[in-house]
Amino acid sequence: MQIRTGDTFNPRVIALLDHHVTAARAQTAPGSAHALDLAGLRAPDIAFWTGWDGELLVATGALKTLSASHGEVKSMHTLQTTRRRGFGGQMLRHIIKEARARGLKRLSLETGSWDYFKPALALYQAHGFVLCGAFQGYVEDPNSLFLTLDLTTS
């Protein structure tokens, strides 16, 4: 997979992100969905990437800067037909590497607690993320799981 700086004006990117937001909101209780829309991904505190398998857009991922030492993984999504091929892991490792390169000490994320989100939870835990409390403006919610990764350790 080739990872590129994301183009939020590319029609293929827009379509995949629209599917991501729509699916996440459909699988989450009202008021508990935190997926960024296009406007959110275009904010100055967001770095956004796309993953390509040849000419096929297969993954997206973003890094939101919360502070000088803390970042948040956002908009992780893999095209349904290409799941279980390692693209999500490649994107997550890219985000972790970028967070370290930017000097961040901690990387956190929010994902849903419902069955639909279990594969995402397994991916994050396989990369060292551990459960934590709500962070940076989130509130505890039975529909959300919060995870964090200490970037100061290997």
Side-chain angles (χ1 to χ4, degrees):
M1 177 175 81
Q2 181 187 35
I3 296 176
R4 305 176 191 162
T5 299
D7 176 1
T8 59
F9 295 96
N10 179 317
R12 292 184 284 177
V13 173
I14 291 169
L16 186 59
L17 289 170
D18 182 57
H19 171 75
H20 167 63
V21 170
T22 301
R25 290 183 178 160
Q27 294 294 328
T28 307
S32 294
H34 302 287
L36 289 178
D37 59 14
L38 283 169
L41 286 170
R42 292 174 180 153
D45 60 347
I46 299 286
F48 173 66
W49 298 278
T50 52
W52 299 82
D53 185 21
E55 291 302 312
L56 182 63
L57 174 61
V58 296
T60 63
L63 172 62
K64 180 176 183 178
T65 302
L66 301 176
S67 73
S69 62
H70 191 194
E72 180 181 5
V73 175
K74 296 296 288 183
S75 299
M76 281 286 300
H77 185 76
T78 304
L79 182 67
Q80 181 70 34
T81 58
T82 63
R83 290 187 180 166
R84 306 192 71 69
R85 292 182 45 198
F87 297 134
Q90 288 179 50
M91 181 61 75
L92 184 57
R93 286 188 296 278
H94 177 78
I95 293 169
I96 293 168
K97 180 181 172 187
E98 285 289 325
R100 282 191 170 116
R102 292 165 189 237
L104 300 180
K105 307 293 185 223
R106 181 173 158 214
L107 192 55
S108 301
L109 63 92
E110 180 275 341
T111 192
S113 63
W114 300 17
D115 286 348
Y116 174 82
F117 298 98
K118 282 185 178 178
L121 176 61
L123 172 70
Y124 299 133
Q125 289 178 321
H127 284 81
F129 284 81
V130 295
L131 291 170
C132 67
F135 61 93
Q136 192 71 28
Y138 288 103
V139 296
E140 292 296 333
D141 180 346
N143 298 303
S144 291
L145 295 173
F146 303 99
L147 295 101
T148 197
L149 177 67
D150 180 350
L151 296 175
T152 64
T153 60
S154 59

